[in-house]
Amino acid sequence: MDNTVALKVRVIPGASASTVAGWLGDRLKVRVSAPPERGKANAAVIKLLAAELHLEKKALSIASGSTSQNKVVEIQGVTMQDIESVFGAGGR
């Protein structure tokens, strides 16, 4: 069973702490303390979401928006229901 979800994410880099702030429309708002330079914020997003979803970092990748605040993160091994059970409903 190889489920893959394309999760829309809004990233706020340079925050005081890395945290998932909840849903902003159909996007999950994520704050990361890493700066938006040389892929540091992208790596922090992957690390944070992997930890929150109890997945290995290799199960997540930035599918699009690597230089934008609006990204699509591809997550293998989960369903949208799994994501909503962790972060609450609102991702539709």
Side-chain angles (χ1 to χ4, degrees), residues 17-42:
S18 293
T19 184
V20 175
W23 294 99
L24 186 64
D26 65 344
R27 292 187 178 276
L28 189 63
K29 187 173 180 181
V30 177
R31 292 185 174 103
V32 293
S33 57
E37 58 188 35
R38 298 189 307 276
K40 291 179 182 178
N42 288 343

Side-chain angles (χ1 to χ4, degrees), residues 77-92:
V78 296
T79 64
M80 195 62 196
Q81 289 79 16
D82 296 333
I83 290 171
E84 289 178 344
S85 72
V86 173
F87 301 120
R92 297 185 187 267

Side-chain angles (χ1 to χ4, degrees), residues 7 9-10 20 41 50 60 62 66 69 71-72 76 79 81 90:
L7 179 65
V9 178
R10 171 76 173 184
V20 175
L60 290 81
I62 305 291
S66 62
Q69 285 187 304
K71 303 180 185 305
V72 176
Q76 296 177 348
T79 64
Q81 289 79 16

